[in-house]
Amino acid sequence: MLRVLIQRLLLLPLLLAVFSLVVFALVQAPPGGFLTSYLSTLASSGSSIDAAQVEALRRQFGLDQPFHVQYLRWVQNLLHGNLGLSLEYQRPNAELIGQYLLLTVLLALFSFVLSWVIAIPAGIYSATHPRSILDYVLTVVNYIGVAVPNFMLALVLMWWAFARFGLSITGLFSPEFEQAPWTAARWLDLLKHIWLPTIVLGIAGTARLTRVMRANLLDELHKPYVVTARAKGLTERRLIVKYPVRVAINPLVSTIGWYLPQLFSGSLIVATVMNLPNIGPLLLRALVQQDMYLAGSVLMIYCFFTVVGTLISDLLLAWVDPRIRMER
């Protein structure tokens, strides 16, 4: 286990370096730039600035430098814990992202826990009771969960709550707690509102994980080692949990590496629809305005969670499956 951890930690700097280059190239790829968007906004409002002011802004933001100089300066700032300055807001990116990072992490973790708590028992039941009525019901629900986009589900639930009960279920806080400091009352208000976005974000992942768990466990239940254990008198519940479930859960554990960042990036449209105060709308605004340093910082956070999720997957796989530890 320690060897696996050391190997993965040694790869982290290289992976993050590659990701940083790709991210910076992507945010620079669209034609124009922040100044183009800024000048268009001024023109639409009837204002304008002369060429000397434009050039001064270009030098101020470092946009007059070649690509490699801008990239190296950005990476140097990242290594010193400086995420740079937002071109649009003229505020440190760390300050802007810090306002929403906690809520984004909480929402993603709530959705992740909900998916696993429901998917694993549902998948085990469907595999051990194939072609039962509840298995058919779960199958239909899973197909619907995979097929319906989460933002459409959010819109339907919002409409239903307002039409049926006259409730507005957008946001994560009541109006009086939106700008309030963190207190026990604000945490309680958050818990009252976070359940619906958690369901919206987690339902698609729950449906996929349930189908994977069911298929893998069905494949394991008819293998010789299960028949042998059953013939030796092992109780059915202990047999299933101790042997085939540990093998069938491996593909689910391996998905943590992409599932965690998917919750973060997948919340962008849902956050916009439901007016959630997380990183999603901030990233969308940065991309639209071509605020490259802010967009690059958010995307690097997504990449970091991808690498961390993959590391967690590898460690959990080595812990769950002794064969993986022996191969290392």
Side-chain angles (χ1 to χ4, degrees):
M1 182 74 74
L2 182 60
R3 183 180 178 184
V4 174
L5 177 61
I6 294 174
Q7 289 176 344
R8 294 299 181 266
L9 289 177
L10 291 176
L11 283 175
L12 286 182
L14 177 61
L15 291 174
L16 291 176
V18 173
F19 286 148
S20 67
L21 180 59
V22 174
V23 165
F24 198 78
L26 287 176
V27 297
Q28 291 262 23
F34 171 74
L35 282 181
T36 304
S37 301
Y38 179 66
L39 294 175
S40 299
T41 303
L42 288 179
S44 63
S45 63
S47 304
S48 62
I49 57 177
D50 56 34
Q53 290 175 308
V54 172
E55 188 61 29
L57 288 174
R58 191 180 303 276
R59 287 195 301 269
Q60 176 186 346
F61 298 144
L63 302 179
D64 59 332
Q65 301 292 332
F67 173 85
H68 67 279
V69 175
Q70 296 183 46
Y71 169 71
L72 292 176
R73 182 182 298 175
W74 182 61
V75 170
Q76 184 179 10
N77 289 333
L78 289 179
L79 293 176
H80 288 86
N82 180 12
L83 299 182
L85 186 71
S86 169
L87 303 181
E88 179 183 6
Y89 297 98
Q90 287 297 291
R91 292 172 57 190
N93 290 326
E95 180 182 327
L96 288 170
I97 296 172
Q99 294 178 356
Y100 306 104
L101 184 60
L102 175 61
L103 294 175
T104 304
V105 172
L106 286 175
L107 188 57
L109 290 181
F110 270 75
S111 303
F112 177 79
V113 172
L114 176 70
S115 298
W116 276 66
V117 167
I118 295 177
I120 293 178
I124 293 174
Y125 181 88
S126 293
T128 54
H129 300 79
R131 299 182 182 86
S132 64
I133 295 178
L134 187 55
D135 179 36
Y136 287 128
V137 171
L138 289 173
T139 300
V140 172
V141 172
N142 290 332
Y143 285 149
I144 295 174
V146 173
V148 177
N150 49 14
F151 71 90
M152 183 179 294
L153 177 63
L155 290 172
V156 171
L157 291 177
M158 290 164 58
W159 168 82
W160 176 78
F162 186 79
R164 183 78 175 179
F165 304 104
L167 297 176
S168 177
I169 53 177
T170 59
L172 291 177
F173 297 101
S174 302
E176 62 271 19
F177 288 103
E178 287 183 357
Q179 302 299 328
W182 284 105
T183 60
R186 195 177 192 229
W187 280 107
L188 183 61
D189 187 70
L190 173 63
L191 294 177
K192 291 179 180 178
H193 290 81
I194 202 173
W195 62 271
L196 182 62
T198 297
I199 293 174
V200 171
L201 291 175
I203 190 167
T206 302
R208 293 189 184 95
L209 292 178
T210 302
R211 300 305 300 168
V212 172
M213 187 68 191
R214 180 184 185 275
N216 291 336
L217 189 55
L218 274 175
D219 187 51
E220 294 294 326
L221 286 177
H222 302 289
K223 289 187 176 179
Y225 74 90
V226 177
V227 177
T228 302
R230 187 178 288 117
K232 290 185 175 182
L234 200 64
T235 60
E236 193 69 16
R237 177 175 297 180
R238 186 180 179 188
L239 182 151
I240 292 173
V241 173
K242 188 174 182 180
Y243 297 111
V245 167
R246 290 184 62 184
V247 178
I249 206 174
N250 282 4
L252 274 71
V253 174
S254 65
T255 63
I256 295 177
W258 57 262
Y259 186 61
L260 279 179
Q262 183 184 30
L263 286 175
F264 283 85
S265 59
S267 66
L268 192 154
I269 301 178
V270 175
T272 304
V273 169
M274 301 189 70
N275 193 28
L276 302 179
N278 65 0
I279 291 181
L282 184 67
L283 174 61
L284 179 60
R285 176 72 181 179
L287 293 173
V288 170
Q289 296 298 321
Q290 293 185 281
D291 191 346
M292 59 182 188
Y293 296 120
L294 178 57
S297 298
V298 176
L299 291 175
M300 278 303 297
I301 291 176
Y302 287 164
C303 293
F304 175 77
F305 279 111
T306 302
V307 174
V308 171
T310 304
L311 175 62
I312 294 174
S313 295
D314 289 341
L315 295 178
L316 288 177
L317 282 173
W319 176 63
V320 170
D321 195 338
R323 296 173 299 176
I324 296 178
R325 294 199 298 270
M326 292 176 63
E327 292 175 0
R328 302 295 178 181

